[in-house]
Amino acid sequence: MSGTAYPLGDKTPDGKGKTGDSANFGLFKNNWGNIRRYCSKFKGKSQDQWQDGAVLNTDDAAAIKCQHEQISAQGVDQFYQTQRGIGYGGSDYQKGVEYVEDYLNQGHLGDNWVTYYTLHAV
């Protein structure tokens, strides 16, 4: 699926576009605040450079690497809390990520089969 854009999740529930640290990118819709703190490719970037994260929308390998770097730095439980927050869909988000990871581990990284998991917008 590399090269595919991931447009969902880029707006707040009231329809406004997400910017700054709340903007999210890539296969797992990681927020810019965490991306720039924990992903080696983006360390040192500012909140105002949030549009640099758009590369993760078309580079699945980079998005997966970034996700792993965040989890490695924070630990799994803390990662899900900071990514979506407890009480704001954190457990749903974790289930969604696990669903997508299972899907990819079944060998679907390079095919055209599409799947999705609906998450609560935050």
Side-chain angles (χ1 to χ4, degrees), residues 12-115:
T12 60
D14 63 1
K16 294 179 182 175
K18 292 181 179 180
T19 61
D21 283 344
S22 68
N24 50 52
F25 302 100
L27 186 61
F28 301 107
K29 305 310 290 177
N30 297 116
N31 68 57
W32 179 244
N34 281 345
I35 291 169
R36 68 186 182 90
R37 285 180 190 91
Y38 300 109
C39 300
S40 57
K41 182 174 186 154
F42 301 100
K43 280 190 177 180
K45 299 270 186 182
S46 72
Q47 181 174 341
D48 293 334
Q49 293 173 295
W50 63 273
Q51 292 177 331
D52 291 354
V55 69
L56 298 176
N57 290 339
T58 57
D59 186 346
D60 291 347
I64 292 167
K65 180 179 185 225
C66 186
Q67 172 100 346
H68 289 167
E69 289 176 341
Q70 289 179 72
I71 292 171
S72 179
Q74 294 182 283
V76 173
D77 292 337
Q78 183 65 32
F79 167 77
Y80 288 115
Q81 288 177 11
T82 60
Q83 189 58 37
R84 287 293 187 264
I86 298 302
Y88 293 102
S91 64
D92 285 345
Y93 179 77
Q94 184 171 358
K95 288 176 190 173
V97 169
E98 290 168 353
Y99 176 85
V100 172
E101 286 177 336
D102 287 345
Y103 168 79
L104 295 173
N105 288 334
Q106 293 172 20
H108 295 291
L109 190 57
D111 63 25
N112 290 324
W113 192 49
V114 176
T115 189

